[in-house]
Each structure stands twice: as C-alpha cells, then as structure tokens.
Amino acid sequence: MLIEMPRHTEIFGSVKIHELQRVLKLDSGGFENPRAKDISFGEIKAVLEHLAIIIPIKDEKIHLLDGVLRAIPFDCTVIVVSNSERDAHDIYRMEKDVITNIHNLTQQEILSIHQKDPELGFAFYEAGYDCLLDRDGLVRDGKSEGMITGMLLAKSLGKDFIGFADADNYVPGSVREYVIDYAAGFCMSESPYSMVRLHWRYKPKVVEDRLYFKKWGRVSETTNKYLNLLLSTCTGFETGVVITGNAGEHALTTKLADIMSYSTGYSVEPYHFVYLFDEFGLKAEKIAYSDALTAGIEIFQIETLNPHLHEEKGEEHIKNMLLGSLCTVYHSELCNDYVRSKVLEELGDILDAWERPPENIMMPPIGVIDASKFTKLLKSNSETFVMHEQGSIEDEAKEEEYLKGESFQAV
Amino acid sequence: MLIEMPRHTEIFGSVKIHELQRVLKLDSGGFENPRAKDISFGEIKAVLEHLAIIIPIKDEKIHLLDGVLRAIPFDCTVIVVSNSERDAHDIYRMEKDVITNIHNLTQQEILSIHQKDPELGFAFYEAGYDCLLDRDGLVRDGKSEGMITGMLLAKSLGKDFIGFADADNYVPGSVREYVIDYAAGFCMSESPYSMVRLHWRYKPKVVEDRLYFKKWGRVSETTNKYLNLLLSTCTGFETGVVITGNAGEHALTTKLADIMSYSTGYSVEPYHFVYLFDEFGLKAEKIAYSDALTAGIEIFQIETLNPHLHEEKGEEHIKNMLLGSLCTVYHSELCNDYVRSKVLEELGDILDAWERPPENIMMPPIGVIDASKFTKLLKSNSETFVMHEQGSIEDEAKEEEYLKGESFQAV
C-alpha cells in the first residue's frame, strides 16, 4: 500500500492524533517515495495474521453478510457477534449457515456467537463484568455490548489487533480495503497502544433519481466540531484534527482495547476520543496505565480509496446519534462552561430547555477479565457459540483419509 | 483467490466456453478444496506482471479516472487511450496531469495517447492498417478503435495478456477485483489462446429513491439469448452457456488478440463470440491459425464478487447497443433462416419492416502489424503520447543525487 504521510500530528498529553492520511494506491512497488509511506504486502500480511475482525450484526440482509465474509482477507480471524432475531424467523441460524458454508469453502478461522445466549451472560457474570447485563442476566441489546463480546473472544485467541466491520456494506471490496487500511495503520504505529479510524472518501446517497457522493455525514461533522472544540480549549490552540469522531470503522491494538472504557449506543466511537483525552491528556499521574503513558497513544485517521455504500437506516437514529455523541463531550472531565454552553446550544432542537444531556452508560476496561476462562466457559456450555478453526476441514479430510487408509489396511 | 470450478464446458469446434464461475473469496489460504480452485497470490502476481490494462476514456469525470488508476494493481501496465475533448476544455490535458501525478506517487508503468493524434493516424497508415482511419487520416471515434490502439501499445511492450477497464467506475475496489479476476482466468487456462469475460454480480440502479441491485442488464439478456440460439442451432443441443455477450470488462491473451477480428461500436464484445464461432466452430480447415485450432480457444466467464456501480449514460444508447449486438448474430456465417427470423422479430421495434440489419464495420486481425515499429513512430513524433516507465522517478532522483554528488566533489 502507498499512503500519505500525516502532514501534522496533534499532541495532547500522551495522546497523538495524526492528521488525515489518504490511501494513494492499494498496492505498491516498493520504490522510495519522499511524499508517501510504502507498506509492502508482507508487512500488511504480518499484521493480518494477528488481527481479528469483529462483525456485530443485527437482522442484516444475509446476502450482505455473505459478501463481506468473502472479502475479508483470509489471514484474519472473523468474529461475528449477532443480535439477530431468533423467534419467528431464526435469522441467527441463517447467519450460522452462511458462516459454515464460507468456512467449508475457504477454511478461514471464523467464530460466531449470539448476543442473547444465556451462557454468554453467565460468562460475563462469572468474569465479574456484569455492567453489560440486563436484569434477566442476558447481555443488553446494543452494538457496544456486541463489540466487547467480540473483543474478549479475540483476546482469548491471542490476537494483537482488533478491528470492526459492519455487515451492511453493499461493496465487499470496500470492506476488504478497510481491513487492509487497519493493517497499514498498525504498520505505521510506533506505540503498542494505537488505534486506526477510517474516514470514507465518499458516502453515496440517493438524491432524487441519482447518486450523490457526499463527503460528510450530518452527525459526523457536528461530532467532530465539538471534539475539536474540547481539544482546542484544553490545549489553547485551535485545531480541526479530529475528523473521525463517529468512525464505526475502526481498529485498535489489544493492549489499548484492554485499558479503554466503552460507552454504549451511538456514543461508543466518539467516546474513544473523550476517554483518551480525559485519561491521557493533561493528567500524567495515572499509575495503572503508566506503560501506556510512557509509550503514548497513537490515533491514525485514514481516508479510504473506496466509497462507503451501505443500507440506509432511515432518519430516526440521526437525532439519537447526535445526542449520544455530544453527551460524551458534555460529560468530559475536561469540558469547561464555554464548551458545555455550545453543546447545549447545538442540542437546542433535541433537548427541552430544562433538560441536561443524559450521561452515557459506561463500561470499564476489559483488561481485568480472564479472556481464556471466558471463552472456555462458552466453549463448554454455549449452544450458539461456533468456532471454525483455520483449515479444520482439511484436517477432517485428512483424518477421514487416514481412517479410510486404516480400514483399507484392515480389509 | 478461491474460485468455483466451471460446472460444465460447452465445446464447439476448437472453442471451449466454460460456464459461469463465481469468485468465492478474494484471497485464500492454499488449502486443498474439492469444490473450488485455489489460486495463490504468487500465481496471480506472475500474470499481472505480463498484463496491460487498457482504459479507453472519453470525457469521464476526472475523479473517477483518478480512483481507477489508484486501484489497478501496481504490477500491471496501464494504457489510457483517450478520445476526450481537446478544444474548449482540454480534458486530455487534465487526464495527463492525473496520470503524471499517479505515476510520480506510485511509479507504476502508465502510457497514454489521444485517439485523435494525427501521428497515431499516420502510424496506423504506415502499418497498412487504415481500416480504422477516417477520411481526414485521423483514427475514427469509437471505443473499438481506442481498444485496438491500446492493444498495439501493449504488444510493443511485450505483454502476454491484455485486459480492459472502463474509467467510469464509482468503486475503485471493483476495478481492482476485475483485474485480479482476469489474472485468475489466465491462471486456469490451458491454452495460450484464451479470453476472460466478467459478469457483474449486481449492477445497482437507482429505482425511485433507493438502490435496486439488478442482476441483468436489458441488452445483455437479449444479446446472450441470441448468441446462445446461434450456438444451439449449430451444435443441435440447446445451451445457455453464454452469459457475457456484452462484457465490456474482458481480457484476452495477446496471442488471441492477434488473430481476432474486431467489430466497431457496441458490437465489439458480442462479435468476439460470433467471430470465434465463425472461424473456429465448424470449419477446421483454417491454415492461417492452425496453432490456435490445435491448442483450442478457451473462454472463461467469471462472476465478480463486487457490484458494478458506474456512471449512468442515459437511455439513448440502449437501442443502438441492442441493434449492434444482434447484427453480429444476424450476419454470422453460421446464422440460419430460423435464427435470422428470430433476430428480425426481436428488432421489430427498432428496424422498419423493409430494413435489414446493417452490417457492422469489421477490422481485421492486428497480428500482421509490427507493433514495435508502430510505437517507435509514436515515440518519436507524437505530441500526445506519454510513456511513464516503472520506477523512472527513482532513476531520475538517483541521477540527480549522483549529479549533486559530482558537483559536490567538484566544489
């Protein structure tokens, strides 16, 4: 891959935010280039082998999941965490069938589990991490909760890198690029605590009877504005460096995943920034994460070459997304009165005059959980947990052959 | 890559047409698979190094060309043949700027030329191939004429494989896949005379206010129907094997390119089939191409994983495309009265009752042209011909450094 060098890096305490880097070419010839970073396929592959891609899914068209699975590089492990319907239509069963079929064909490592599996709730309970459980002992609905489930599974496989991809993507080749962009980010990182966030080159929308290639989403633009305002008021220097506040497409090192707190709902992605600002910005006395403080935390923002074309989810969630995102800024420890007043102004249409932005539900770092024990519990008890290992079919085939050979000899 | 085996192969004389093969996974793990063909990245790369991708272009949005160039694998050579405006707006100059910029960044081998360059017309005239010249001595308008220009340039570079890609593609990652699909086809081929034709998985259209993922184009379906009818009446066995009659996205070995005749306008792609049926179907006495007759001609039809999302060109060309396509069938040497009557029936809305389908303009095989001499002429005389060699910037930089070193020593 050939990727732009970041023109500027904003530093706030231990947090380094690199300016947007564009993907210049999806592969490269290994020539020296003063203007760009050349990352060889070998380097990318070395990261992919230690990368798990988590796909949180909820009642998506099964075609789309199929396409996405066919496009994700073979060297990664895929972890599907489904919160799809299991009643009238057992959509999770269809998902499992697609996964099994892809595994039979490709022999890629793929795991899957259903978010509402009682054994999953129990495993979280056993791990002492019950903050994402509902009163009925099941894992709450929500993408964050699915993401945390996936991260623990990735950890138990010993993965060093964890990335996310949505299953509602119309263009399999785009998803493939996202994963390779993640790997490229980690190739550039100098810290074991790093995060890669993607910015779509275009997000086409149907406007009247043709496609319009939008560059910015409505919510994204506002979220970025307030994250930048928060950062600017802290450092005293105005900046527009944050352009991936709502980046659903992101990846992080397992080391960083272990020390992050996670917000719920639509605020999970912008809260990454707020958490890192709060924890690793001004204050430098955190003892728990002294290693991260010293190494620094790097955030890469990469502009994809491909457009992002996905299922339209309608207008309803826009307000909630904006509210969730700006609440993270409002409740930041670093947020001053000026920023708070600006956020309230922005939310004027959404909140009533007397309302304060609600606090987001927070989930503490997962580093404390014994992921191996967690997964072992699921392996032995869970009915929905499926673990297709890499090349297991071949092994089965070999075994069969071996057995055939035996019986042949026996005959 | 992991790709389906063709379930069936239709054989007509020396022509083998393989049934549709779906791309199962864009990469693979090298496991044995009874249901699919596993093609390693190394094998693909070995083909890419001998593949030229020709991009015929005419006044496309410059953004789209840029995206396509960034996505085509580095190991290929790209040949842009432009018939864009050069008067009020010099669009060709903008295209050249984009090409130069991409070459400076990536150092990929890229050639470009303008179709209306008088020296190009002269080079064809000198080569004794004046069938594509207008009265003014310039190359005619038309995509076929651009394709032939590109093929000669590819030949002069000693390329073994030639593929085509349109510059109006909204999804760079799709174009990347097309090129890799071509390479996969050639990896599977057992004959030096082979062709790979792509069938898009979906071709999304804006229908009312949302995207509809169409599988079949209106013209394609009809073209395929009549190509299959022609084939069926010749062999006596009904078949539906041809599903890529109008495949603009196709590639062929240079050896095959040398012995093909080319039709003009919208009929260039369906005429591939008709020509091969006419020449290598029943008659087996051709002396000129005895090598091809013996080796056989293989046609692969591959279903892409990615959808094809391109510029909408409006409705006007649909009729012409249908007419051009069906005329190739009507004028086939093998076409009998029954097929001719069916074609006339289909064209009822387009042709008046007394009209016969017009004959397509044909261009004879290019194998006779001395491509090196052709390109040498362009190199020395053409004003629009640009040839960016692989890694030439590095060489320049080194040279500069060397000169600097010299002057340093001199000081």
Side-chain angles (χ1 to χ4, degrees):
Chain A
M1 171 173 291
L2 205 62
I3 189 165
E4 273 184 353
M5 305 291 237
R7 269 162 301 182
H8 175 70
T9 298
E10 201 72 52
I11 297 174
F12 179 45
S14 301
V15 186
K16 288 183 191 175
I17 309 174
H18 298 292
E19 247 186 34
L20 183 75
Q21 298 169 261
R22 286 185 311 147
V23 172
L24 298 175
K25 179 100 184 164
L26 290 177
D27 62 2
S28 60
F31 292 104
E32 247 178 74
N33 197 318
R35 291 200 277 158
K37 172 98 183 150
D38 188 314
I39 303 169
S40 73
F41 183 65
E43 290 170 82
I44 300 270
K45 198 175 154 78
V47 171
L48 294 179
E49 285 164 1
H50 299 97
L51 171 64
I53 296 295
I54 297 170
I55 306 181
I57 186 169
K58 190 175 193 318
D59 303 327
E60 295 301 343
K61 289 181 187 147
I62 204 80
H63 264 77
L64 299 181
L65 174 65
D66 183 69
V68 166
L69 290 176
R70 288 177 196 273
I72 292 178
F74 174 85
D75 293 306
C76 314
T77 296
V78 177
I79 300 173
V80 177
V81 183
S82 170
N83 196 12
S84 299
E85 199 184 314
R86 298 199 66 196
D87 300 328
H89 290 69
D90 190 349
I91 296 182
Y92 182 57
R93 202 177 125 185
M94 284 162 56
E95 289 162 0
K96 274 202 298 187
D97 287 348
V98 164
I99 289 167
T100 304
N101 181 37
I102 299 273
H103 178 261
N104 285 349
L105 285 168
T106 66
Q107 304 180 37
Q108 182 164 13
E109 185 168 57
I110 316 182
L111 279 60
S112 82
I113 193 162
H114 196 275
Q115 195 161 334
K116 291 296 185 184
D117 187 323
E119 294 300 332
L120 180 62
F122 182 69
F124 273 115
Y125 175 80
E126 278 290 293
Y129 195 86
D130 53 7
C131 56
L132 47 46
L133 298 183
D134 249 339
R135 282 191 203 151
D136 55 8
L138 300 182
V139 172
R140 262 197 314 269
D141 286 329
K143 193 170 152 185
S144 289
E145 289 76 2
M147 289 162 77
I148 287 178
T149 305
M151 287 195 277
L152 286 173
L153 292 173
K155 261 190 80 172
S156 75
L157 296 173
K159 295 289 169 179
D160 298 320
F161 309 102
I162 300 170
F164 298 93
D166 287 342
D168 67 345
N169 201 309
Y170 282 137
V171 184
S174 294
V175 180
R176 184 174 180 80
E177 190 209 333
Y178 299 161
V179 175
I180 289 171
D181 293 346
Y182 295 157
F186 294 124
C187 287
M188 291 184 288
S189 173
E190 289 171 356
S191 165
Y193 298 89
S194 60
M195 179 179 264
V196 184
R197 305 172 74 90
L198 302 187
H199 178 253
W200 301 316
R201 192 164 179 221
Y202 296 107
K203 196 172 169 186
K205 298 268 171 204
V206 176
V207 175
E208 284 168 10
D209 60 345
R210 55 195 290 266
L211 281 177
Y212 174 69
F213 282 72
K214 271 182 83 73
K215 203 145 182 79
W216 292 100
R218 283 157 294 179
V219 175
S220 297
E221 219 165 348
T222 313
T223 303
N224 293 335
K225 181 175 155 190
Y226 289 94
L227 285 169
N228 281 315
L229 185 64
L230 181 66
L231 186 56
S232 302
T233 54
C234 288
T235 61
F237 291 88
E238 205 166 276
T239 180
V241 73
V242 175
I243 60 149
T244 56
N246 290 105
E249 256 62 39
H250 67 270
L252 72 184
T253 59
T254 307
K255 279 197 160 208
L256 180 58
D258 267 348
I259 62 171
M260 296 287 291
S261 272
Y262 299 95
S263 184
T264 52
Y266 295 113
S267 57
V268 54
E269 288 94 3
Y271 184 66
H272 290 146
F273 280 109
V274 171
Y275 173 79
L276 291 174
F277 294 165
D278 282 357
E279 291 294 312
F280 301 97
L282 289 180
K283 303 183 299 177
E285 77 281 10
K286 282 261 158 184
I287 294 157
Y289 306 134
S290 59
D291 185 32
L293 270 171
T294 316
I297 290 148
E298 272 191 279
I299 302 178
F300 293 88
Q301 302 183 103
I302 297 179
E303 185 184 270
T304 63
L305 181 59
N306 282 295
H308 187 77
L309 193 67
H310 70 153
E311 278 276 283
E312 280 303 328
K313 291 288 154 54
E315 298 292 303
E316 286 161 52
H317 73 293
I318 296 287
K319 272 189 185 176
N320 286 325
M321 201 166 166
L322 191 64
L323 181 64
S325 296
L326 296 200
C327 284
T328 64
V329 173
Y330 187 91
H331 294 291
S332 162
E333 290 172 27
L334 301 170
C335 193
N336 64 22
D337 287 344
Y338 173 69
V339 178
R340 269 194 288 266
S341 73
K342 284 284 172 191
V343 169
L344 287 179
E345 222 171 86
E346 183 74 46
L347 291 174
D349 294 341
I350 297 176
L351 293 177
D352 281 323
W354 48 269
E355 275 183 307
R356 295 293 89 181
E359 282 208 42
N360 304 94
I361 299 173
M362 290 302 158
M363 294 176 287
I366 57 171
V368 291
I369 304 177
D370 181 340
S372 306
K373 204 177 134 199
F374 175 88
T375 303
K376 207 179 266 176
L377 261 179
L378 295 178
K379 264 191 197 166
S380 36
N381 303 329
S382 159
E383 179 226 331
T384 71
F385 184 52
V386 183
M387 192 163 172
H388 295 292
E389 283 168 38
Q390 196 183 92
S392 55
I393 283 283
E394 192 192 40
D395 295 346
E396 275 167 37
K398 269 191 190 154
E399 206 173 316
E400 230 170 76
E401 219 164 274
Y402 176 75
L403 289 174
K404 259 193 222 159
E406 287 242 312
S407 61
F408 186 70
Q409 279 165 21
V411 171
Chain B
M1 171 172 292
L2 205 62
I3 188 164
E4 273 183 354
M5 305 291 238
R7 270 162 301 180
H8 175 71
T9 298
E10 201 72 54
I11 297 174
F12 178 47
S14 300
V15 186
K16 290 183 190 175
I17 308 174
H18 299 293
E19 246 186 35
L20 183 75
Q21 298 170 260
R22 285 185 313 147
V23 172
L24 298 174
K25 178 100 184 163
L26 290 178
D27 62 2
S28 60
F31 293 102
E32 246 178 74
N33 197 319
R35 290 201 277 158
K37 172 99 183 149
D38 187 316
I39 304 169
S40 74
F41 184 66
E43 289 171 82
I44 300 268
K45 198 175 153 77
V47 171
L48 293 179
E49 284 165 1
H50 299 98
L51 172 63
I53 295 296
I54 297 170
I55 306 180
I57 186 170
K58 190 174 194 317
D59 303 327
E60 295 300 342
K61 289 180 188 149
I62 205 80
H63 264 77
L64 299 182
L65 175 65
D66 183 70
V68 166
L69 290 176
R70 288 176 196 272
I72 292 178
F74 175 84
D75 294 306
C76 315
T77 296
V78 177
I79 300 174
V80 178
V81 184
S82 170
N83 196 12
S84 299
E85 198 185 315
R86 299 199 66 195
D87 301 328
H89 290 68
D90 191 348
I91 295 182
Y92 182 59
R93 200 176 128 186
M94 283 162 57
E95 289 162 0
K96 274 202 299 186
D97 287 348
V98 164
I99 290 167
T100 304
N101 181 36
I102 299 274
H103 177 262
N104 285 348
L105 284 168
T106 66
Q107 305 179 37
Q108 181 163 12
E109 185 168 58
I110 315 182
L111 279 61
S112 83
I113 192 161
H114 196 276
Q115 195 161 330
K116 292 295 185 185
D117 187 324
E119 294 300 331
L120 180 62
F122 182 70
F124 273 114
Y125 175 81
E126 279 290 293
Y129 195 86
D130 53 7
C131 56
L132 47 48
L133 299 182
D134 250 338
R135 284 193 200 150
D136 55 9
L138 300 182
V139 172
R140 262 196 315 269
D141 286 328
K143 194 171 152 184
S144 291
E145 290 76 1
M147 287 162 78
I148 287 178
T149 305
M151 286 194 277
L152 286 172
L153 293 174
K155 261 191 77 172
S156 74
L157 296 173
K159 295 288 168 181
D160 297 320
F161 309 102
I162 300 171
F164 298 93
D166 286 343
D168 67 345
N169 201 309
Y170 282 137
V171 184
S174 294
V175 181
R176 184 173 180 80
E177 189 208 333
Y178 299 161
V179 176
I180 289 170
D181 293 346
Y182 294 157
F186 294 125
C187 287
M188 291 184 289
S189 173
E190 288 170 356
S191 165
Y193 299 88
S194 59
M195 180 179 264
V196 184
R197 304 172 76 90
L198 302 188
H199 178 252
W200 302 316
R201 194 166 177 220
Y202 296 107
K203 196 172 169 185
K205 299 266 171 204
V206 176
V207 175
E208 283 169 12
D209 60 346
R210 55 195 290 266
L211 281 178
Y212 175 69
F213 282 73
K214 271 181 84 72
K215 203 145 181 80
W216 292 100
R218 284 157 293 181
V219 176
S220 297
E221 221 166 344
T222 313
T223 304
N224 294 335
K225 181 176 155 190
Y226 289 94
L227 285 169
N228 282 314
L229 185 63
L230 181 66
L231 186 56
S232 302
T233 55
C234 288
T235 61
F237 292 87
E238 205 166 276
T239 180
V241 72
V242 174
I243 60 149
T244 56
N246 289 105
E249 255 62 39
H250 67 269
L252 72 183
T253 59
T254 308
K255 279 195 159 208
L256 180 57
D258 267 349
I259 63 171
M260 296 286 292
S261 270
Y262 298 95
S263 185
T264 51
Y266 295 112
S267 57
V268 54
E269 288 94 3
Y271 184 66
H272 290 146
F273 281 108
V274 172
Y275 172 78
L276 291 174
F277 295 165
D278 281 357
E279 292 294 311
F280 300 97
L282 290 180
K283 301 183 298 178
E285 76 281 9
K286 281 261 157 182
I287 294 157
Y289 307 134
S290 60
D291 185 32
L293 269 172
T294 317
I297 291 148
E298 271 191 280
I299 303 178
F300 294 89
Q301 304 183 103
I302 297 178
E303 184 185 89
T304 63
L305 182 59
N306 282 295
H308 187 78
L309 193 67
H310 70 152
E311 278 276 283
E312 280 301 329
K313 291 287 154 53
E315 298 292 302
E316 284 162 54
H317 73 293
I318 296 286
K319 273 190 184 175
N320 286 326
M321 203 167 164
L322 191 64
L323 181 64
S325 297
L326 296 200
C327 284
T328 63
V329 174
Y330 187 93
H331 293 290
S332 163
E333 291 172 26
L334 302 170
C335 193
N336 64 21
D337 288 344
Y338 173 70
V339 178
R340 267 194 289 267
S341 72
K342 284 284 172 191
V343 169
L344 287 179
E345 223 172 86
E346 183 74 46
L347 291 174
D349 294 341
I350 297 177
L351 293 177
D352 281 324
W354 47 268
E355 275 183 308
R356 295 293 90 182
E359 282 209 42
N360 304 96
I361 300 172
M362 291 302 159
M363 295 176 288
I366 56 172
V368 292
I369 304 177
D370 181 340
S372 307
K373 202 176 135 200
F374 175 87
T375 303
K376 207 178 267 176
L377 261 180
L378 294 178
K379 263 191 197 166
S380 36
N381 302 330
S382 159
E383 178 225 332
T384 71
F385 183 52
V386 182
M387 191 164 175
H388 294 293
E389 282 168 39
Q390 195 183 92
S392 55
I393 283 284
E394 193 192 41
D395 295 344
E396 275 167 37
K398 269 191 191 153
E399 204 173 318
E400 228 169 77
E401 219 164 272
Y402 176 77
L403 289 174
K404 259 192 219 161
E406 287 242 312
S407 62
F408 185 71
Q409 279 166 18
V411 171

